[in-house]
Amino acid sequence: MLINIGSFLTLPLTDSVEKFLLILIIILIIPIIFNKIKIPPLLGLILAGTIIGPLGLNIMDRDASFDLFGTAGLLFIMFLAGLDTDITEFKKNSKYSAVFGLLTFLLPFLLSFAAAYYLIGLDVIPSVLIGAMIAPHTPITYPIVTKFDIQKNIAVSITMGGTLITNIVSFLIIIVVVGMSTGDVNQSFWIRLSISVVVFAAIIAFLFPIITRWFFKKFQDNVLQFVFVLVMLYLGALIAEIAGIEKIIGALFAGMSLNRLIPRTSPLMNRINFVANSIFIPFFLIGVGMLVDLRAFVKDIETIKVAVFLTFAAIFSKYLAALFTQKILKFSIDQRRVINGLSSAQAASTLAVVMVGYNLDLLNEAILNGSLVMILLSCTSAALQTQRGAKNIAIKESQESDYEDVEDKTEAERILISVSNSETVEELVNLSTMIKSQSNTQGLYALNIITNNQYSSADDKNALKILDMASEIAAATDNSLNGLVRHDVNIINGITNVIKENYITDLVLGIYNKKGLSSSFIGNLNEGILAKSNVTTLIYKSSQPIATIKRHIVFVPIGEEKEIGFPLWLLKVWNIARNSGTKLVFYAAAETLQYIKKVHEKYTVPCEFIEFTEWNDFLVLSRDFEKNDNLIFILSRKNGLTYHSYMNKLPNYLNNYFQANSYILIFPKQLGRNEQSDHFTGHVEKLNETILQLFRRK
C-alpha cells in the first residue's frame, strides 16, 4: 500500500493530531532553548505563535481550540494569582495596593489619552477608550513568579491588589463608553451596574467558600476535587460576565475566595499548577502570538506611528507607576522590577478593549494592528523585567534559612511519619508536608513496624502497600518520601530505634478517628516513646481534611517559653498557618504570648492572642470552639518543666467534649528534669531572643 506523504504537509495544518503535536513540540522545545540563553520561555511561546500563526508563516490557523484552551490559560493565570495571594498580607497592605492601583491606572490612562488625542488625532471618546485599553494589564509573567517561588513577597501581593483595582476601574469605564455609544447610560443603567457588582462580589466572597468546604468534606476523591475547582473557576468567570465585569476579574476573585481551602503544599494545589503551566497557559501565550502581524510595519506608516505611540505610552507609564511605588514604599530595585514586570504586559485586557472599540467603529484598523505590536513588545519587556527581579529576590531569600538548629545551627530537619492504618495515611502525610520547612532537603520518612511475635508474610505486603500509598501522596506534592519497614519486638522499640538511626527531629503519629484517645494514652506515651526519644512529637486525630479547617486553636502551658523546644514547635505551627492561610488563636500566659507576638510582628499570619492560665477550668473555653476548629495542645513529658496535672485529664476531655473536632497533641523537645539549672534557664532566655531567625522573611 502506498502512502501519500504529501497529504501530511498541507499548510495550514488541518488535522487535529498534527496541530496538537506541533503545539506540544513548541511547548517542549521552547523552554529548553530559552532557558539556555537565559530568556523567559513565555516570550519564546509568544514569538512561536507569531511565526506559526496565520499572520506569520501560516503553518496553523488560530481556530476555536485557541479560544477554548487560551481562555482557560488566561483564567488559570488569574486564578493562580488569587490562590497564591496571602490574604492576611493582602488585607494588611491594602492601602499600599490602593496606592499602586491608583498610580498604575492614572499614569497610563492619562498618558495614553494624551497620546491618542494630541498625537494620533482621535476624538475624546476613542481617546478615553485608548486610555482604558492601556491602563489595565494582564499578569502573564506570573508563572515566572511561581517558578522562583516568591509569591508571598510583598511586591507581588500589592501588584496583584493593584491589578484588581485598575482592571475593575478600566472595565467600568469601558462599560460606560459602550453604554454611551449605544445610548443606554441613564439612571437605571447605574442602578443595574451597582447591584450586579455587589451581588457578584457577595456570591464569590461568601457562597463559594461555603460550597467548597462542604464539597471537600463530602468528597475526597482527587479527580472529583480537581474537576470541582475547575467548575468554580469557570463559574466565577461566568458570574463576572453576567455582572458586566471582565471574566478575568471573576477568575481572580474565585482564586482568592478558595485561597484558604487549597493549601499551597497540598496535592490539589500541585495538580492545579501542573495542568495550568504545562498545557493551558502555554496555549494562551501561543494564541496571543498568533494575533501579532509584524508585516503591519511595512504595510502602513500610520500603523508604525500608532504602534510607537501606544508602546511608549504603555511601557513608560507602567514603569513610572512602578518607580513611584518603589520610592513611596521604599522597595528594592528588584521589587520594582517585579512590580513593573507583572503590571506592564498588555494582552487579554488590551485585546478585549480594542476589539470592542473596533466593532463599534470607534477605533480603526491602524490602531488594531498597532495595539497588537504593542502587545508583543510590552510582553517582551515585562518578561525580562520579571525574570531579572524575581531571580534576584529568590537568591536573596534563599540565603536566609528558615530553619536552624537552636544549639549548633547544623541539625537538618527530618520528619518521621508512623503509618499503620491506610485510613489515616493521607491526612498524616498532608500534615507532615504542611509543617515541613522550606529548607528541608531530607524529605520525609514513613515507617511501618511489624512486630516479631505477630509476623506473617501478609504483613510485609500490607506494610509495603501502605508505604506505597504514602509515597504517592507525598509525590503529589513534589515531596520525596523514604519508606521504611521495621521488624522489631514492639512498636515503641521500632520507632525509637528508627529515630536514632536516621537522626529524626520530628515524629508524626496518628490516632484512628473511630477509636479516639484511651484514658491511659498519655501515661503509656510518656513511659514509652517520649521516655526513649527527645524529638518534637505530634499526635494527630483528623475529623475532617486539614484544608477545610477554619482556625487552629493553640493551647500553650505556663512557662513554655523557657523550654528548649519552644521555637521548634512554634515553627511547625507557624508553617501550618503560613501554608494554609488559616488563623491561629493562642491561649497562653502573658509572658509566653510576648515571645509569640515577636514572631507575629515580622512574619504575619492571621493570629489572635488570648491570655489564659486557669487550665483546671479548661472546659470553660469549649463554648468558644466551632466544629471547623482544629485544637492544638502543647504538652509536656512527665515531670518536665511545664508539666501540669490537667494534661492527664486531656484524653477524657477530648473524647467526651471534642469528638467532632480535629486535634494535634504536641510534645516539644525537652531537657530532663535533672538537667534543669539556673544556667540552663538563662541559656534558654537568651536562646529565645533568636526565635525570629527560625522564620524565613517573606
Side-chain angles (χ1 to χ4, degrees), residues 323-396:
L323 179 64
F324 291 158
T325 302
Q326 177 205 353
K327 298 300 183 184
I328 293 171
L329 303 182
K330 296 180 171 58
F331 284 170
S332 68
I333 294 175
D334 288 314
Q335 287 177 309
R336 184 200 70 209
R337 290 180 179 130
V338 169
I339 293 173
N340 188 28
L342 284 172
S343 63
S344 60
Q346 303 291 323
S349 304
T350 302
L351 287 173
V353 179
V354 76
M355 291 308 299
V356 167
Y358 184 75
N359 292 332
L360 291 174
D361 292 328
L362 295 174
L363 303 178
N364 57 35
E365 190 171 347
I367 294 176
L368 174 63
N369 290 329
S371 64
L372 294 177
V373 174
M374 178 198 64
I375 287 174
L376 178 61
L377 297 178
S378 66
C379 288
T380 302
S381 173
L384 295 174
Q385 288 285 328
T386 309
Q387 175 91 357
R388 186 176 179 185
K391 182 179 179 180
N392 290 341
I393 291 173
I395 291 172
K396 182 179 179 181

Side-chain angles (χ1 to χ4, degrees), residues 381-678:
S381 173
L384 295 174
Q385 288 285 328
T386 309
Q387 175 91 357
R388 186 176 179 185
K391 182 179 179 180
N392 290 341
I393 291 173
I395 291 172
K396 182 179 179 181
E397 288 187 350
S398 68
Q399 293 171 348
E400 300 173 10
S401 174
D402 65 347
Y403 181 93
E404 301 176 69
D405 180 69
V406 294
E407 293 189 55
D408 60 13
K409 313 291 185 186
T410 60
E411 185 179 39
E413 181 186 76
R414 294 168 182 255
I415 300 174
L416 175 66
I417 314 164
S418 178
V419 292
S420 58
N421 190 316
S422 59
E423 294 189 28
T424 62
V425 170
E426 182 169 3
E427 284 304 311
L428 288 177
V429 174
N430 286 341
L431 174 64
S432 300
T433 58
M434 198 169 284
I435 67 173
K436 176 176 171 285
S437 301
Q438 292 183 357
S439 59
N440 184 339
T441 59
Q442 304 295 324
L444 306 172
Y445 294 78
L447 171 66
N448 188 286
I449 299 171
I450 301 173
T451 55
N452 293 339
N453 58 343
Q454 298 177 347
Y455 175 72
S456 70
S457 59
D459 290 334
D460 278 330
K461 292 181 181 178
N462 184 59
L464 292 173
K465 180 180 178 181
I466 292 175
L467 291 175
D468 286 342
M469 182 188 304
S471 296
E472 290 176 5
I473 296 168
T477 64
D478 282 339
N479 283 290
S480 62
L481 185 141
N482 306 291
L484 304 171
V485 176
R486 179 88 182 191
H487 293 260
D488 218 311
V489 292
N490 57 53
I491 292 175
I492 293 174
N493 278 357
I495 291 176
T496 54
N497 286 333
V498 168
I499 288 174
K500 295 173 185 176
E501 293 165 3
N502 293 277
Y503 306 100
I504 298 300
T505 60
D506 303 274
L507 173 64
V508 179
L509 305 172
I511 297 175
Y512 187 42
N513 189 26
K514 294 181 180 178
K515 292 184 178 180
L517 280 174
S518 65
S519 58
S520 60
F521 178 83
I522 299 293
N524 292 336
L525 195 67
N526 269 304
E527 294 174 7
I529 294 173
L530 297 179
K532 295 184 178 182
S533 64
N534 190 24
V535 298
T536 305
T537 303
L538 294 84
I539 299 153
Y540 181 37
K541 192 215 79 170
S542 171
S543 294
Q544 65 187 79
I546 196 167
T548 63
I549 296 295
K550 281 187 176 181
R551 300 186 304 172
H552 297 280
I553 315 293
V554 188
F555 304 96
V556 189
I558 298 171
E560 176 60 30
E561 72 279 2
K562 297 179 181 179
E563 292 280 15
I564 191 75
F566 175 63
L568 297 178
W569 70 255
L570 184 58
L571 174 62
K572 299 294 178 288
V573 171
W574 216 262
N575 281 343
I576 292 175
R578 194 164 59 182
N579 289 321
S580 64
T582 44
K583 184 178 183 180
L584 295 175
V585 181
F586 288 95
Y587 284 84
E591 295 82 359
T592 308
L593 291 177
Q594 286 179 4
Y595 284 99
I596 301 174
K597 288 177 180 178
K598 288 181 182 179
V599 177
H600 182 255
E601 286 172 2
K602 286 200 172 185
Y603 311 111
T604 306
V605 296
C607 279
E608 184 179 348
F609 304 97
I610 301 174
E611 187 175 342
F612 186 81
T613 56
E614 301 299 324
W615 294 109
N616 285 322
D617 297 328
F618 166 73
L619 288 180
V620 174
L621 302 174
S622 61
R623 63 177 179 269
D624 299 326
F625 305 151
E626 301 173 2
K627 186 177 181 181
N628 290 317
D629 289 339
N630 177 46
L631 310 180
I632 301 178
F633 297 90
I634 311 304
L635 304 178
S636 170
R637 289 162 172 78
K638 191 174 183 180
N639 299 324
L641 180 67
T642 56
Y643 182 77
H644 194 286
S645 59
Y646 83 87
M647 296 178 183
N648 290 327
K649 304 174 185 177
L650 193 58
N652 289 331
Y653 290 161
L654 293 174
N655 287 335
N656 294 330
Y657 302 102
F658 304 105
Q659 192 65 34
N661 290 93
S662 296
Y663 57 78
I664 303 173
L665 310 181
I666 300 181
F667 291 85
K669 182 178 180 180
Q670 293 177 295
L671 290 186
R673 185 178 181 183
N674 60 344
E675 297 170 278
Q676 300 290 352
S677 65
D678 293 338

Side-chain angles (χ1 to χ4, degrees), residues 77-78 81 137-143 160 163 167 248 341-343 345:
I77 289 175
M78 303 303 292
H137 51 263
T138 306
I140 67 168
T141 61
Y142 192 79
M160 299 316 300
T163 298
N167 282 7
I248 61 175
L342 284 172
S343 63

Side-chain angles (χ1 to χ4, degrees), residues 101-118 120 122-138 165-175 177 306 309-315 317-318 343-346 349-354 357 362-363 367 371 374:
L102 187 65
L103 289 172
T104 200
F105 170 77
L106 283 179
L107 291 177
F109 181 84
L110 295 176
L111 192 59
S112 54
F113 173 85
Y117 188 76
Y118 293 106
I120 301 177
L122 298 179
D123 293 334
V124 173
I125 295 298
S127 297
V128 169
L129 200 58
I130 292 291
M133 179 179 78
I134 301 296
H137 51 263
T138 306
I165 293 170
T166 190
N167 282 7
I168 289 176
V169 174
S170 296
F171 282 112
L172 288 177
I173 290 176
I174 294 164
I175 292 171
V177 169
V306 169
F309 288 150
L310 292 182
T311 302
F312 175 78
I315 294 178
S317 61
K318 291 291 183 179
S343 63
S344 60
Q346 303 291 323
S349 304
T350 302
L351 287 173
V353 179
V354 76
L362 295 174
L363 303 178
I367 294 176
S371 64
M374 178 198 64

Side-chain angles (χ1 to χ4, degrees), residues 94-254:
S94 58
K95 58 183 178 181
Y96 300 148
S97 295
V99 169
F100 173 68
L102 187 65
L103 289 172
T104 200
F105 170 77
L106 283 179
L107 291 177
F109 181 84
L110 295 176
L111 192 59
S112 54
F113 173 85
Y117 188 76
Y118 293 106
L119 299 179
I120 301 177
L122 298 179
D123 293 334
V124 173
I125 295 298
S127 297
V128 169
L129 200 58
I130 292 291
M133 179 179 78
I134 301 296
H137 51 263
T138 306
I140 67 168
T141 61
Y142 192 79
I144 297 176
V145 168
T146 59
K147 173 187 172 183
F148 288 103
D149 195 25
I150 63 164
Q151 303 96 301
K152 303 287 185 180
N153 191 281
I154 185 174
V156 178
S157 177
I158 70 160
T159 305
M160 299 316 300
T163 298
L164 187 64
I165 293 170
T166 190
N167 282 7
I168 289 176
V169 174
S170 296
F171 282 112
L172 288 177
I173 290 176
I174 294 164
I175 292 171
V176 173
V177 169
V178 172
M180 291 176 64
S181 301
T182 56
D184 293 334
V185 177
N186 48 40
Q187 186 177 2
S188 62
F189 168 83
W190 292 109
I191 295 174
R192 287 196 310 270
L193 181 61
S194 301
I195 293 175
S196 62
V197 170
V198 171
V199 171
F200 155 75
I203 292 174
I204 299 292
F206 299 108
L207 195 57
F208 271 37
I210 294 173
I211 296 172
T212 304
R213 181 172 280 106
W214 171 85
F215 190 91
F216 284 178
K217 283 184 179 180
K218 193 78 173 176
F219 305 99
Q220 297 182 33
D221 179 87
N222 294 329
V223 175
L224 283 179
Q225 287 190 351
F226 179 76
V227 174
F228 174 81
V229 169
L230 292 184
V231 170
M232 300 307 285
L233 164 59
Y234 271 86
L235 184 59
L238 178 61
I239 294 173
E241 286 194 311
I242 293 173
I245 305 172
E246 178 60 27
K247 55 182 174 287
I248 61 175
I249 303 299
L252 181 61
F253 263 82

